[in-house]
Amino acid sequence: MARSSLAEMTGDTTFARYIPDPHPETLASPEKITRHVLCSGQVYYTLLRARDQNKMDHIAISRLEQLCPFPYDLLSQHVDKYPNAQVIWAQEEPLNAGAWTYVAPRIRTLMNHSPGHEGM
């Protein structure tokens, strides 16, 4: 499991609006990924731990660290890396309390403009 080190937070660092799954060698090939989970914040570490503990090598997990403005430019470059994956949003809060109501239409727009995911 990937862990952050203090060195990653010191020196010449910058804020990352979107952090794609680094796709470790323990994951299946990109064509065999069936779910691409997008999330924000600390729930990422819970999802990563569950993926590793349950050996779910068919799931990619990426983080949106800036929701507004929505990082279409970065996500559109990465979403087609997993052409057979269903893109889903995960959050700890109930749907009416978290970022879901904001990100849902934006993810739909992203997917409708993605050559590999149109109509999903």
Side-chain angles (χ1 to χ4, degrees):
M1 172 167 62
R3 297 223 182 255
S4 296
S5 70
L6 188 56
E8 292 174 339
M9 296 180 270
T10 59
D12 189 22
T13 62
T14 58
F15 176 74
R17 296 167 39 222
Y18 171 67
I19 305 170
D21 194 310
H23 203 91
E25 60 186 48
T26 55
L27 286 186
S29 64
E31 319 63 66
K32 292 183 180 176
I33 297 295
T34 60
R35 283 211 174 138
H36 186 184
V37 180
L38 302 178
C39 63
S40 184
Q42 71 180 17
V43 72
Y44 167 78
Y45 296 100
T46 303
L47 294 169
L48 188 62
R49 189 171 35 256
R51 179 180 75 180
D52 293 345
Q53 287 174 348
N54 295 295
K55 297 177 179 28
M56 294 185 278
D57 67 346
H58 64 285
I59 297 174
I61 306 168
S62 298
R63 294 179 278 176
L64 280 101
E65 295 301 316
Q66 175 181 308
L67 299 177
C68 184
F70 195 77
Y72 287 106
D73 56 330
L74 300 173
L75 269 158
S76 63
Q77 297 171 22
H78 187 250
V79 76
D80 285 331
K81 176 177 181 174
Y82 306 113
N84 301 310
Q86 173 188 26
V87 175
I88 61 172
W89 175 257
Q91 65 183 29
E92 293 175 305
E93 303 85 4
L95 290 180
N96 65 350
W100 173 245
T101 56
Y102 179 79
V103 299
R106 287 153 181 83
I107 290 173
R108 237 182 332 273
T109 298
L110 175 74
M111 301 314 290
N112 286 336
H113 290 92
S114 166
H117 291 88
E118 285 180 286
M120 290 189 105

